[in-house]
Amino acid sequence: MSGFDPSWVEMVAILAAGGVAGAINTVVGSGTLVTFPTLLAFGVPPIVANASNTIGLVPGSLSGAWGYRRELAGQRARILRFASASALGGILGAVLLFALPDGAFSAIVPALIVLGLVLVVTGPRISAAIARRREARGLGERPEHGPWWLWPVVALCGVYGSYFGAAQGIIMMAFLGIGLDETLQRLNAMKNLLVALVNGIAGVLFAVFVDVDWLVVLLVGVGAVVGAQVGARYGRRLPDGVLRGIIVVVGVVALGVFLAG
């Protein structure tokens, strides 16, 4: 244990932060930008906060996926395909977490967030251009599982998500939106499952090799589960254009947090 002994006020605040993070993660991603600073502000050591937060947010991702279960219908084969990429990436990212010096990846986080936001905004045009090119070449519609490059890109998202975590949902949604001919809501449902898998892998390794505060895990987890259901209930009603705008807003806020830090 970390020795963190929170007051009732701090426990309620952590529970609430978990709820907000669960809702944000379900609709967009980057909920860790709410919980992680909250834990640091209350005196939880950074390594313990990172590990406990990662484990605590896993139930929220699963809760969000359950909330989006209607949008998961008909995607079983696709989910299994990309789950293998996320699992492989998650394992590799966790290995790198213990092998590389602190900050090795965090230096490129702003660039990754900017890339993700650019792709979210330009995704429909890029996707339409790809469709026109395939039609001109007589290739017909895009494959159900997307182009060949999407599997390794999802694996790389898993590496990043397991190693660092913040904004992985935004980055993953950007590439899924370009590679797959689907609505953002259905892609978001699949994203929640893939992120839960990546975080779950990282969480298991954290639990084995890093000091974890299980009270923090419990508070964040309970809050995230409830918040995820709220996010799923209202987030699924958003048109693609509105959801895309929310992704951009959250991404810009995430970028500002990293640059300010």
Side-chain angles (χ1 to χ4, degrees), residues 147-256:
W148 67 268
W149 52 262
L150 191 55
W151 193 95
V153 165
V154 171
L156 289 175
C157 287
V159 173
Y160 169 75
S162 183
Y163 187 96
F164 194 81
Q168 67 167 310
I170 291 175
I171 297 170
M172 185 181 294
M173 282 287 287
F175 286 107
L176 291 177
I178 291 173
L180 297 174
D181 187 16
E182 276 286 5
T183 66
L184 282 184
Q185 294 289 7
R186 282 174 61 80
L187 295 180
N188 196 36
M190 181 169 64
K191 177 267 293 180
N192 286 334
L193 275 180
L194 298 180
V195 168
L197 178 59
V198 171
N199 286 349
I201 290 173
V204 168
L205 292 173
F206 280 151
V208 174
F209 296 107
V210 180
D211 190 16
V212 174
D213 191 310
W214 293 104
L215 176 58
V216 169
V217 171
L218 177 63
L219 293 171
V220 172
V222 171
V225 167
V226 176
Q229 288 301 303
V230 175
R233 179 174 181 177
Y234 295 102
R236 61 152 32 103
R237 303 176 184 177
L238 300 174
D240 276 9
V242 175
L243 181 57
R244 201 178 302 276
I246 293 175
I247 293 174
V248 171
V249 170
V250 173
V252 169
V253 172
L255 180 62

Side-chain angles (χ1 to χ4, degrees), residues 5 14 34 60 74 85 130 133 144 151 163 180 182 190 198 256-257:
D5 185 20
I14 294 172
V34 176
I130 292 174
R133 184 178 180 184
E144 179 185 357
W151 193 95
Y163 187 96
L180 297 174
E182 276 286 5
M190 181 169 64
V198 171
V257 170

Side-chain angles (χ1 to χ4, degrees), residues 19-72:
V20 174
I24 293 175
N25 278 341
T26 299
V27 179
V28 182
S30 296
T32 191
L33 295 175
V34 176
T35 47
F36 186 63
T38 299
L39 296 177
L40 293 182
F42 291 149
V44 182
I47 294 178
V48 177
N50 184 43
S52 305
N53 179 64
T54 298
I55 298 172
L57 289 178
V58 172
S61 295
L62 293 175
S63 176
W66 174 254
Y68 270 86
R69 60 191 179 278
R70 284 185 294 177
E71 285 75 15
L72 290 172

Side-chain angles (χ1 to χ4, degrees), residues 68-174:
Y68 270 86
R69 60 191 179 278
R70 284 185 294 177
E71 285 75 15
L72 290 172
Q75 297 197 77
R76 178 183 176 87
R78 178 187 291 165
I79 290 170
L80 290 176
R81 175 182 176 86
F82 290 120
S84 65
S86 290
L88 180 61
I91 293 171
L92 180 57
V95 171
L96 291 176
L97 178 66
F98 296 108
L100 295 179
D102 294 342
F105 273 20
S106 60
I108 67 169
V109 169
L112 289 174
I113 294 177
V114 170
L115 173 62
L117 293 178
V118 170
L119 292 178
V120 166
V121 173
T122 61
R125 294 183 180 181
I126 296 176
S127 185
I130 292 174
R132 288 194 299 269
R133 184 178 180 184
R134 289 187 61 84
E135 183 177 357
R137 296 173 62 185
L139 298 178
E141 297 182 358
R142 281 178 292 178
E144 179 185 357
H145 301 312
W148 67 268
W149 52 262
L150 191 55
W151 193 95
V153 165
V154 171
L156 289 175
C157 287
V159 173
Y160 169 75
S162 183
Y163 187 96
F164 194 81
Q168 67 167 310
I170 291 175
I171 297 170
M172 185 181 294
M173 282 287 287

